[in-house]
Amino acid sequence: MRNRMYLLLAALLLFSTRLQAQTLESLAKNNGSPELQVNGIVATFSPFAEGRATTEGVLRFNGAVDETNAIWSFLVNPATGMYISYVLIIERLPDSTKLKITIAPMPEESLDVFRGTVWAKMLELRWPNRPSYTPSPPPSYPEPLVINLNDVIKIPLWVNAGTEWGVVGDQIRFAKDRPKPGRDFTIDDVKFNLANFRLIINGEVRSGERELKGFGLGELPAFYLPGKGVFVISFRPREGYNFQKIGVADGNKISFSYGVDKYEWVNRYPILPDGGPWNLWVMLDPDFQPSQETIEAHKLLSKGNCCVYYAWDLKPAGKPPSSKTSSSKK
């Protein structure tokens, strides 16, 4: 179960890259939800400050791991480089009006995953002289609490969130998750699974000196290659976009040729549970250009890496596939 948690954290943390102009701020906007659901409970996070501190500018990165009833949280202050992490575990009790809450350290294995994320590399780029890029823990870990469902808890986090030191923390409210209506299964519910992968172009490994890990790419994996643009891969054609049926997913590999070049995205594990071969559609957007910060962060992930990797989003159908309309925020 512990290993399962680390793998899920890896999928949540790594390569959550969806926007053209990626910065710590834009990544946090996509990976810092104020509401997270786990174990049938919705936890709503809001910051609080006491003393002379302020929460202005503090960024949140978080995610839920339902298999372990855990919500992980990273808070970062871009102005100072201060950041902190913890895990919130929510347990249901026989009395449906009560919950058991545990505040725990981030597992070391998860911190190892964190050190290989895009936004961790952005931290390194922004503060190159830091002696360590390991997040700080909260000042203390309270004993597990049994609370009423409508109680509000506060977790003090010593973060310098402005020009003054003070107590900054998370305030958390809880509520039962509302049942979701059923829906029809469609092809868009099928997701690519890329983890521990290498990118090979014309027979040459271009993803760097080591495999890139924990890349959960959803339904539209993509990679940007300097001088070419961004290649977006889909299970199906997309109305309003220039997707071409030129790719194949077979076992642990996605492959396609574009012009005179052959591309192979090779995974350690099967791309799809049932193997393949399955036909794929590929779109090239030659005008797309990532931010320089994003490019440099990806270079730090693996020495010699050529590219930037994405979980891509498309604008509504009918929009032309250019860098201004080919990606959007989730």
Side-chain angles (χ1 to χ4, degrees):
M1 181 65 72
R2 286 171 64 86
N3 288 338
R4 174 68 173 160
M5 178 179 177
Y6 305 145
L7 289 173
L8 287 166
L9 280 170
L12 288 164
L13 278 168
L14 285 180
F15 297 103
S16 299
T17 49
R18 300 183 178 97
L19 296 177
Q20 177 180 353
Q22 286 159 0
T23 62
L24 278 173
E25 290 76 10
S26 65
L27 288 175
K29 195 171 183 179
N30 284 280
N31 297 277
S33 173
E35 289 189 359
L36 288 171
Q37 184 274 339
V38 68
N39 199 15
I41 298 295
V42 176
T44 302
F45 292 77
S46 59
F48 75 88
E50 297 175 353
R52 303 182 69 180
T54 172
T55 61
E56 184 178 355
V58 173
L59 306 178
R60 178 185 304 279
F61 297 81
N62 58 8
V65 185
D66 208 46
E67 284 80 353
T68 55
N69 303 330
I71 294 173
W72 55 267
S73 221
F74 289 83
L75 281 84
V76 181
N77 180 359
T80 64
M82 296 291 295
Y83 60 111
I84 200 165
S85 68
Y86 67 92
V87 175
L88 171 70
I89 300 169
I90 303 174
E91 299 177 66
R92 305 285 291 270
L93 297 176
D95 183 345
S96 61
T97 66
K98 296 185 181 296
L99 301 171
K100 183 179 179 181
I101 302 298
T102 303
I103 310 300
M106 190 71 66
E108 184 60 35
E109 291 88 345
S110 299
L111 292 177
D112 287 340
V113 169
F114 153 77
R115 295 182 186 104
T117 64
V118 170
W119 63 271
K121 298 308 178 185
M122 287 184 173
L123 285 172
E124 294 182 28
L125 288 171
R126 195 168 293 194
W127 303 289
N129 298 321
R130 284 183 65 105
S132 170
Y133 295 97
T134 298
S136 301
S140 64
Y141 294 101
E143 293 296 318
L145 305 170
V146 175
I147 66 170
N148 295 316
L149 185 63
N150 59 356
D151 284 348
V152 178
I153 66 170
K154 286 186 173 183
I155 305 173
L157 306 169
W158 291 89
V159 178
N160 185 1
T163 59
E164 301 287 348
W165 280 93
V167 178
V168 174
D170 271 342
Q171 181 172 271
I172 309 172
R173 290 177 169 83
F174 303 92
K176 289 183 180 179
D177 191 24
R178 294 180 179 178
K180 295 179 175 60
R183 59 191 180 93
D184 294 332
F185 184 86
T186 70
I187 188 65
D188 289 333
D189 294 302
V190 179
K191 309 297 182 186
F192 289 93
N193 178 32
L194 284 162
N196 296 80
F197 69 85
R198 292 188 181 277
L199 181 64
I200 300 171
I201 304 175
N202 296 326
E204 179 185 357
V205 176
R206 298 294 304 279
S207 52
E209 62 184 348
R210 64 180 179 86
E211 291 179 337
L212 298 177
K213 299 180 180 180
F215 198 172
L217 275 169
E219 66 181 82
L220 290 169
F223 64 89
Y224 166 78
L225 177 62
K228 296 288 185 178
V230 65
F231 290 95
V232 184
I233 299 166
S234 174
F235 285 119
R236 62 175 178 85
R238 307 274 173 161
E239 185 179 356
Y241 294 91
N242 186 28
F243 279 92
Q244 302 178 47
K245 189 177 177 181
I246 58 174
V248 174
D250 192 359
N252 68 332
K253 181 170 66 175
I254 293 171
S255 59
F256 64 93
S257 294
Y258 203 102
V260 298
D261 299 311
K262 182 177 181 180
Y263 301 89
E264 298 171 287
W265 209 339
V266 182
N267 202 41
R268 183 181 292 186
Y269 313 104
I271 302 293
L272 297 169
D274 291 330
W278 301 102
N279 292 322
L280 298 176
W281 280 256
V282 180
M283 178 187 75
L284 172 63
D285 180 352
D287 298 325
F288 178 80
Q289 178 65 48
S291 68
Q292 191 59 39
E293 184 179 16
T294 304
I295 293 172
E296 294 302 321
H298 276 75
K299 286 181 180 178
L300 289 177
L301 290 171
S302 181
K303 185 178 179 181
N305 172 45
C306 66
C307 299
V308 178
Y309 306 92
Y310 293 89
W312 203 255
D313 293 331
L314 292 176
K315 286 284 190 181
K319 300 291 185 180
S322 72
S323 60
K324 293 183 180 179
T325 60
S326 60
S327 67
S328 68
K329 180 178 61 178
K330 280 188 176 177

